[in-house]
Amino acid sequence: MKQGTVYLVGAGPGDPGLITVRGLAYLRQADVIVYDRLSPVALLDEARPDAEQIYAGKRAGHHALPQEEINDLLVGKAREGKTVVRLKGGDPFVFGRGGEEAEACVAAGVPFVIVPGVTSAVAVPAYAGIPVTDRRLTSTLAVVTGHKKDGVEDGNLDWESLAQVDTLVFLMGVTNLPHIVGRLAAAGRSRETPVALVRWGTTPRQQVVTGTLANIVERVQQADLHPPAVIVVGEVVNLRDRFRWFDRPVERPLLGKRVVVTRARDQARRMSALLEEQGAEPIEFPSIAIAPPEDCAPLDEAIATLERYDWVVFTSVNGVRMFWERLDALEKDSRALAGTRVAAIGPSTARALGARGIAADFVPAKYVAEEVAAGLGDVRGLRFLLPRADLAREALARLLREAGAAVDEIATYCTVPGRGGRDVRALLEEGEIDAVTFTSSSTVRFFLQRIGTEANRLLEGVTVACIGPITARTARELGLHVDVAAEEYTVQGLVQALAASVERLGNDECGTMNDEWRET
Ligand code: SAH
């Protein structure tokens, strides 16, 4: 059998965006992925759905897999002909035991590839606004393990020499901090030397404690800061005052907040990215999924006779997606729309059309039914096709009919309960969720169903954010308190409203009533 290859891939320090292009490419191809606590979990979403994922780190109450077992696992799977990615936090060769894994491959004659990673030793201080070197202050940098070796306090570290190095970065040093500080001071380093500890750097949970060799131990105790953290010692730490960026509350008001995204799986990603930009940790929990309508015949007939329509008005990305799925099933393509004009109710829907080669003839400036109806001009005697959700109430159809148009509303998709995602019920029980977002009435209904009994009690201390007044009304009718309603009824508007609300939570106001759209 063909021998597989082991890829030792640096996953970066935590921000999933900090893996390398090459590392990501291997991750996407892997048959087997072996990961541990410091590899960013979000990267596993990049794996093939059928890839085997093996956790090698510590679990509550359990030890991590011993290194020899990890080595045997990597070699064993490669010998089965599998492509094995060993995903490692930071860089595989910076205190990552990558050497031992490479050694095992060499000994077994298994081919291997090393993909370097962005090490936490450099990147974590950077996300705290601390450059590990600076021309004005530093000409030497040392990266040091702060871990005890086989119970011996510091192996054979030469503290006299280390104390002379301008910038010192300690990994795995939190529990040993008092010892590190004591040895540096004893070796002559000034007690005024600035020190920073950065926990879960580059992630929404990033936490920073700063001080000096004289007071850092006390400050870390006060802050109750635990591993994993990087310790930086040296004058460069003071630059954080000027270079602080990632954890600045002004720019990332949602920093550290866990926000549940309830929309359908393939639409969640964009919203998650917007939340991440504001500093939040998105928790994807698809409450709904989009499926073809139960009866496709009316849609098929409309597609077969598209030339009868003057306008086709798409009111959601889902509508576009499912319309094209049906075109495809009928062995047709975008040319089927060549003879009619096409409208999109908002920019996302217009983009979805654009991706299929259709430049919308009309996109309203505001995404409300009145604007669309007004913008289409004189519609008397014109024929409209509105591909929409099976249950949706479209104020637009009514307005168009009132203006003298003939309108066919055709069910193009239906909403069914979603599956997968994180265990949000458990997170709610543990008080680990800060906010839940709803982007349509059906996300509210299906979310409550998925969480099950006591959903309302579990949501009591949690911020509930809705995309607009209709969704908010549904949430209230189902017994939820609504804390945030977007003024612009788009995902972007929702994320902005949530960010803006952080300082004034408890404000229970809604935008003016208007029809709102499942703009996606
Ligand atoms: N190979 C890794 C380091 C592994 S040693 C790398 O190159 O980054 C594990 C130590 O790395 C932890 O004890 C901690 O000191 C540091 N570390 C890794 N990721 C971190 C993060 N996101 N925030 C703070 N420290 C981190």
Side-chain angles (χ1 to χ4, degrees):
M1 191 200 302
K2 199 180 139 280
Q3 177 106 286
T5 300
V6 172
Y7 296 86
L8 300 178
V9 176
D15 177 343
L18 293 180
I19 192 172
T20 63
V21 173
R22 186 177 295 266
L24 185 58
Y26 290 138
L27 182 64
R28 287 179 170 150
Q29 290 166 14
D31 299 311
V32 181
I33 297 164
V34 182
Y35 66 102
D36 49 39
R37 189 169 76 116
L38 289 177
S39 358
V41 195
L43 283 177
L44 296 176
D45 293 345
E46 299 289 342
R48 277 185 2 226
D50 61 330
E52 186 184 358
Q53 302 185 1
I54 302 171
Y55 180 69
K58 280 184 214 149
R59 255 180 234 283
H62 295 268
H63 277 293
L65 279 190
Q67 189 61 48
E68 302 77 60
E69 276 184 37
I70 299 179
N71 298 350
D72 291 348
L73 185 67
L74 300 178
V75 166
K77 293 284 180 188
R79 283 192 169 145
E80 287 171 27
K82 305 262 171 67
T83 297
V84 184
V85 163
R86 169 68 173 122
L87 202 56
K88 303 185 70 73
D91 180 275
F93 283 171
V94 178
F95 298 123
R97 308 191 72 168
E100 286 152 80
E101 291 166 4
E103 197 69 67
C105 293
V106 173
V110 164
F112 63 95
V113 169
I114 313 285
V115 185
V118 172
T119 178
S120 64
V122 175
V124 165
Y127 269 55
I130 302 170
V132 287
T133 74
D134 184 281
R135 244 172 85 85
R136 297 165 289 186
L137 305 168
T138 341
S139 41
T140 52
L141 163 68
V143 179
V144 186
T145 168
H147 192 62
K148 294 180 194 171
K149 272 198 204 102
D150 305 324
V152 181
E153 281 297 358
D154 45 36
N156 47 10
L157 292 184
D158 175 355
W159 289 98
E160 306 295 324
S161 308
L162 282 180
Q164 308 292 318
V165 176
D166 296 324
T167 304
L168 291 162
V169 176
F170 291 89
L171 303 187
M172 302 177 283
V174 180
T175 41
N176 244 352
L177 182 66
H179 176 74
I180 292 170
V181 165
R183 293 301 296 256
L184 286 175
R189 192 73 176 237
S190 158
R191 288 187 177 273
E192 297 312 307
T193 310
V195 183
L197 272 83
V198 187
R199 179 176 197 237
W200 284 124
T202 79
T203 78
R205 295 154 78 189
Q206 175 168 310
Q207 193 187 349
V208 183
V209 176
T210 54
T212 60
L213 279 182
N215 64 21
I216 193 71
V217 170
E218 193 188 333
R219 290 195 178 180
V220 163
Q221 258 162 16
Q222 274 166 3
D224 197 24
L225 186 126
H226 295 272
V230 163
I231 304 169
V232 192
V233 179
E235 296 303 318
V236 285
V237 167
N238 284 338
L239 291 171
R240 170 168 163 83
D241 289 343
R242 290 176 62 73
F243 294 165
R244 182 174 176 184
W245 63 282
F246 178 70
D247 52 8
R248 266 167 55 114
V250 206
E251 270 137 50
R252 284 183 185 66
L254 295 177
L255 195 80
K257 303 270 183 243
R258 293 222 169 102
V259 181
V260 177
V261 176
T262 54
R263 44 195 355 219
R265 179 183 302 276
D266 47 4
Q267 291 173 332
R269 196 54 237 153
R270 195 171 84 86
M271 176 154 181
S272 295
L274 291 170
L275 284 165
E276 276 164 358
E277 273 173 26
Q278 302 289 327
E281 180 183 349
I283 309 281
E284 293 186 9
F285 182 70
S287 298
I288 59 169
I290 304 303
E294 276 182 21
D295 179 10
C296 287
L299 179 58
D300 290 356
E301 196 191 314
I303 288 175
T305 55
L306 273 176
E307 66 287 347
R308 290 189 306 144
Y309 295 101
D310 301 289
W311 281 96
V312 181
V313 184
F314 288 95
T315 54
S316 72
V317 171
N318 286 327
V320 173
R321 198 160 59 86
M322 299 308 281
F323 189 87
W324 257 262
E325 266 190 26
R326 214 48 221 157
L327 277 182
D328 200 40
L330 298 170
E331 298 185 345
K332 290 176 179 275
D333 59 28
S334 303
R335 286 171 297 177
L337 285 157
T340 94
R341 276 173 291 174
V342 176
I345 68 110
S348 308
T349 307
R351 266 197 304 277
L353 285 169
R356 289 158 177 89
I358 302 286
D361 297 289
F362 174 67
V363 187
K366 258 176 79 187
Y367 327 128
V368 292
E370 288 76 4
E371 286 282 328
V372 185
L376 288 167
D378 185 2
V379 298
R380 250 173 309 173
L382 297 186
R383 246 195 127 82
F384 282 78
L385 173 63
L386 260 66
R388 61 159 176 75
D390 55 349
L391 296 172
R393 23 163 266 125
E394 298 289 17
L396 179 60
R398 180 175 48 80
L399 289 171
L400 289 171
R401 285 193 191 108
E402 280 168 14
V407 183
D408 288 343
E409 295 177 85
I410 305 282
T412 305
Y413 62 95
C414 63
T415 306
V416 296
R419 280 185 289 143
R422 303 274 296 273
D423 187 350
V424 166
R425 195 188 155 92
L427 290 169
L428 281 169
E429 296 268 13
E430 289 156 18
E432 296 275 324
I433 297 292
D434 297 290
V436 178
T437 57
F438 295 114
T439 46
S440 66
S441 293
S442 40
T443 59
V444 184
R445 281 196 203 94
F446 287 111
F447 175 81
L448 292 177
Q449 258 180 40
R450 265 200 89 176
I451 297 292
T453 50
E454 296 197 276
N456 294 47
R457 177 185 65 79
L458 288 171
L459 285 173
E460 261 164 29
V462 175
T463 299
V464 173
C466 295
I467 198 164
I470 292 179
T471 306
R473 193 168 60 207
T474 307
R476 288 204 182 88
E477 280 167 8
L478 293 170
L480 298 181
H481 55 92
V482 175
D483 306 290
V484 177
E487 275 169 26
E488 189 199 309
Y489 313 143
T490 61
V491 168
Q492 190 132 28
L494 175 58
V495 172
Q496 266 160 13
L498 187 61
S501 77
V502 169
E503 282 133 69
R504 45 159 194 87
L505 279 186
N507 185 344
D508 198 3
E509 279 201 13
C510 242
T512 46
M513 284 303 281
N514 231 324
D515 200 8
E516 104 209 32
W517 304 86
R518 289 160 305 286
E519 246 289 299
T520 47

